[in-house]
Amino acid sequence: MNASLSEMRESTALCYDSLNNSCPRTVYPLTLRLSLYFLFTTIFILTVSGNLLVIFVIFLSQNHLSTATNHLILSLSLAGVLIGGFVMPHSMTRSIETCWYFGLIFCEFHTTVDVVLCNTTVWHLSFISVDRYLAIFHPLHYRNLMTKNTGAAMIISSWGLALVFGFAIVISNPEVKIREDFYKSCVGGCFSLHAREIGLEYSIIFYFIPVCIIITVYGRIFFVAQRHAKVIHSYSKGPKLSAQLTAKDLKATKTLAIVVGTFLFCWTPFFMCNIIDPLIGHSINTLLYESLMWVAYLNAMFNPLIYVFFYSWFRKTAKVFLSKLFMQM
């Protein structure tokens, strides 16, 4: 076995040529690497700029700033900025170079921050769905139900659950499942969560509980809204009113479909692999995991579009803000 490992190391590039215990490195063609750097850089620039725009616009809209909904959106956007500005750049280097050049301590810190930020994003989305449920089903009591204290409790819960879970992973030090012992002890590797044996528990807390909340809430909103629309259509008089109601129903349906569809598109493939991989002896290709991890990151880029750009007041304020910004430049 040692002989085969030695042959593999001789025929493979290393993360650190001067170290005997360096991890092997997969060297992609230069054209592919440059293309990936351009793609990933574009993704985290759009993620940071989009979420920063949300933060600035909400702060500029003083009449909307005091609502619990916008406190949730601000907190969600802050998590998006940190994912784009801190997590993505280092993950980009690891994904493209297939090596970790930032040290073991920073590897653990980066992994922990990655887990905390992605987890808090998912919980924010869950609480935003609850907020939308209260706004639609209890409009008369909404202001009494969604107070500043309620919004603050949701934000604290989102960050608190993510922090507890993130640090629990570090403290428990879950086993890294790699097929050869050489990969466990080499220098230049930083195995993200997909390499750690936390599978089902991680997936239930991180994904399945929030996704059940989101699907249940938005599903109820969708079906009840459709039922109410049919009742209204049956009593409406004249084609003009009917057309207006149909347009509103169509817009609401599209919004709900985008909210749920984007969330499921970004996160489901990663977690399905996370559950299946231990069952098949950790035989899923690492490159596939890396690709699905980046698809999950995309949710932080899409969030500003989904949860804010549907608001007409946001679009108006954003136009004013951007026009002033470009005029000053």
Side-chain angles (χ1 to χ4, degrees):
M1 185 175 195
N2 292 332
S4 63
L5 288 176
S6 299
E7 292 175 2
M8 178 190 66
R9 292 183 60 191
E10 290 174 0
S11 60
T12 307
L14 299 176
C15 296
Y16 296 95
D17 293 330
S18 59
L19 297 180
N20 293 327
N21 61 337
S22 173
C23 291
R25 175 191 174 197
T26 301
V27 182
Y28 297 117
L30 180 60
T31 304
L32 177 61
R33 290 165 60 198
L34 292 177
S35 300
L36 289 174
Y37 272 118
F38 176 78
L39 173 63
F40 292 155
T41 301
T42 302
I43 290 173
F44 70 69
I45 288 176
L46 290 176
T47 301
V48 172
S49 59
N51 284 282
L52 280 177
L53 179 62
V54 171
I55 293 172
F56 287 135
V57 167
I58 292 180
F59 271 114
L60 286 174
S61 304
Q62 295 298 323
N63 56 324
H64 295 282
L65 183 60
S66 59
T67 64
T69 303
N70 284 320
H71 289 165
L72 277 168
I73 294 175
L74 278 173
S75 184
L76 175 65
S77 298
L78 175 61
V81 170
L82 293 175
I83 290 173
F86 178 79
V87 174
M88 287 185 182
H90 300 93
S91 296
M92 174 182 67
T93 302
R94 179 179 59 196
S95 298
I96 299 175
E97 301 298 335
T98 66
C99 290
W100 183 262
Y101 295 114
F102 309 106
L104 181 60
I105 295 177
F106 191 74
C107 167
E108 294 294 335
F109 178 72
H110 179 269
T111 300
T112 305
V113 174
D114 188 355
V115 176
V116 170
L117 291 177
C118 290
N119 196 199
T120 196
T121 297
V122 175
W123 281 110
H124 273 84
L125 301 182
S126 302
F127 284 119
I128 288 174
S129 69
V130 174
D131 170 75
R132 293 299 84 207
Y133 176 88
L134 294 175
I136 291 173
F137 284 91
H138 304 282
L140 299 179
H141 304 286
Y142 174 73
R143 290 187 178 274
N144 294 329
L145 293 172
M146 278 300 297
T147 62
K148 290 183 179 180
N149 291 335
T150 305
M154 288 181 171
I155 293 171
I156 293 172
S157 298
S158 298
W159 287 98
L161 288 169
L163 285 168
V164 168
F165 184 64
F167 284 104
I169 292 175
V170 176
I171 294 173
S172 63
N173 191 25
E175 183 181 359
V176 176
K177 291 291 186 180
I178 303 295
R179 286 184 288 277
E180 300 288 354
D181 291 337
F182 171 70
Y183 288 95
K184 295 182 182 181
S185 58
C186 63
V187 179
C190 179
F191 304 109
S192 56
L193 283 180
H194 62 71
R196 297 174 186 250
E197 187 58 77
I198 55 177
L200 186 58
E201 297 86 353
Y202 168 68
S203 300
I204 289 175
I205 298 174
F206 193 102
Y207 178 73
F208 284 106
I209 292 177
V211 83
C212 286
I213 294 174
I214 291 173
I215 291 178
T216 301
V217 170
Y218 281 124
R220 180 164 168 74
I221 290 173
F222 173 78
F223 286 114
V224 173
Q226 291 294 92
R227 187 176 62 192
H228 288 178
K230 289 180 181 179
V231 174
I232 294 173
H233 289 168
S234 64
Y235 286 99
S236 63
K237 294 182 180 180
K240 184 176 181 180
L241 177 58
S242 179
Q244 291 175 348
L245 291 170
T246 302
K248 286 186 177 181
D249 296 340
L250 182 61
K251 183 178 180 181
T253 302
K254 286 182 178 180
T255 302
L256 291 176
I258 291 173
V259 167
V260 178
T262 303
F263 177 81
L264 294 176
F265 169 79
C266 290
W267 285 105
T268 301
F270 176 82
F271 280 102
M272 291 307 296
C273 282
N274 196 273
I275 293 173
I276 294 172
D277 195 36
L279 302 178
I280 59 176
H282 297 274
S283 58
I284 294 180
N285 188 277
T286 303
L287 179 61
L288 175 60
Y289 261 121
E290 291 285 343
S291 302
L292 295 180
M293 183 179 66
W294 276 95
V295 173
Y297 284 156
L298 287 177
N299 194 232
M301 182 182 74
F302 292 143
N303 283 336
L305 300 174
I306 298 172
Y307 289 95
V308 182
F309 280 85
F310 284 105
Y311 293 103
S312 58
W313 66 264
F314 176 85
R315 291 193 295 271
K316 294 177 183 177
T317 309
K319 288 180 181 178
V320 174
F321 171 74
L322 292 174
S323 62
K324 290 182 179 179
L325 180 65
F326 285 112
M327 286 178 63
Q328 293 177 357
M329 295 174 60

